[in-house]
């Protein structure tokens, strides 16, 4: 059975939650490293320099094995850790969440803060486009130029129904199509190509890599 990888998100999102006059502005963004996450945090602090708190949670690494959180002056355990738990529950990595709080003059208590910070992140993530990560195997198919249009259509249709994604196409003496497919589907691909071309084409299997598959968290 292939390894399952945490997902990420396609693009930054922002969401505001108001709780008893306090404003909680959540920004959630995809990042490629802890250093990039720090840049997102620094930018949030600059934009909202007059806010009382900028609480943070981040998860990074292909397996989501690096994590950090900060309460930024809120009572210990009421902001950063609840935000981090939301990211963990969503099985996300390479994501940073920053919640900026403008205090409204009414204290929320520990329970209220936990709910507000976690809800702000959760509701922001509801707006995000998910990106699933999975290990796919490279396959190349070389065809005569006269058959390129037909095979291109065939592979696009096949990929859409078998969890695969198309890579680059190169043109030299032949048109060579690249396809990234789940290992479990390799046999079916061989069979379907053989059936569609009377056995004239067979895929060449290459290496494996983890790829992003947008829209399927």
């Amino acid at each position: 059975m292939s390894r399952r990888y945490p997902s990420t998100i396609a693009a930054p999102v922002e969401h505001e939650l108001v709780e008893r006059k306090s404003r909680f502005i959540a920004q959630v963004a995809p990042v490629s490293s802890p250093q990039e996450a720090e840049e997102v945090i620094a930018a949030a602090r600059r934009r909202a320099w007059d806010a009382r708190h900028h609480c943070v949670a981040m998860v990074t690494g292909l397996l989501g094995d690096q994590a950090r959180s900060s309460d930024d002056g809120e009572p210990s355990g009421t902001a950063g850790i609840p935000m981090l738990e939301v990211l963990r529950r969503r099985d996300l990595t390479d994501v940073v969440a920053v919640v900026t709080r403008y205090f409204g003059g009414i204290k929320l208590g520990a329970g209220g803060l936990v709910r507000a910070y976690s809800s702000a992140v959760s509701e922001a993530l509801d707006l995000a486009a998910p990106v699933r990560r999975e290990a796919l195997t490279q396959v190349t198919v070389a065809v005569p130029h006269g058959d390129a249009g037909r095979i291109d259509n065939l592979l696009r249709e096949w990929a859409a129904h078998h969890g695969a994604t198309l890579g680059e196409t190169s043109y030299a003496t032949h048109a060579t199509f690249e396809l990234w497919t789940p290992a479990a589907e390799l046999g079916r691909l061989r069979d379907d190509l053989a059936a569609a071309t009377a056995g004239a084409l067979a895929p060449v299997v290459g290496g494996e890599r983890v790829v992003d598959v947008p829209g399927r968290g």
Side-chain angles (χ1 to χ4, degrees):
M1 184 176 179
S2 61
R3 179 192 289 271
R4 187 175 186 277
Y5 294 90
S7 302
T8 187
I9 60 175
V13 292
E14 184 173 306
H15 173 73
E16 181 173 334
L17 179 152
V18 178
E19 184 69 27
R20 299 180 69 181
K21 298 185 179 181
S22 281
R23 297 172 60 205
F24 296 84
I25 304 169
Q27 302 170 63
V28 184
V31 293
S32 59
S33 66
Q35 293 73 27
E36 188 174 335
E38 292 293 347
E39 293 172 5
V40 172
I41 296 165
R45 291 182 180 277
R46 288 194 299 270
R47 283 195 303 270
W49 58 269
D50 55 340
R52 178 169 291 192
H53 304 284
H54 300 277
C55 301
V56 172
M58 70 172 78
V59 182
T60 56
L62 184 61
L63 300 178
D65 52 358
Q66 302 174 60
R68 186 171 74 77
S69 65
S70 168
D71 295 314
D72 193 37
E74 293 283 28
S76 179
T78 62
I81 291 177
M83 292 164 59
L84 183 60
E85 288 176 350
V86 173
L87 301 182
R88 290 296 198 193
R89 285 198 302 270
R90 299 287 184 113
D91 195 24
L92 293 171
T93 191
D94 288 343
V95 171
V96 61
V98 185
V99 178
T100 297
R101 182 190 181 189
Y102 286 93
F103 182 55
I106 302 174
K107 292 186 177 180
L108 302 182
L113 289 172
V114 169
R115 285 191 298 274
Y117 279 103
S118 59
S119 295
V121 174
S122 183
E123 291 174 14
L125 288 172
D126 288 341
L127 304 174
V131 176
R132 188 172 72 191
R133 286 178 168 167
E134 53 188 326
L136 299 180
T137 299
Q138 183 194 45
V139 174
T140 55
V141 182
V143 306
H145 289 282
D147 295 328
R150 181 171 69 89
I151 299 304
D152 182 45
N153 290 334
L154 185 154
L155 291 177
R156 288 182 185 279
E157 180 71 14
W158 193 92
H161 292 89
H162 295 87
T165 183
L166 289 174
E168 296 182 356
T169 302
S170 60
Y171 296 93
T173 55
H174 288 76
T176 301
F177 297 95
E178 181 185 51
L179 189 71
W180 292 89
T181 184
E185 297 291 334
L186 288 172
R188 183 182 294 272
L189 176 61
R190 289 191 186 97
D191 293 343
D192 290 347
L193 269 176
T197 63
L201 292 181
V204 176
V205 177
E208 184 180 84
R209 73 178 183 186
V210 177
V211 302
D212 289 348
V213 184
R216 297 160 54 195

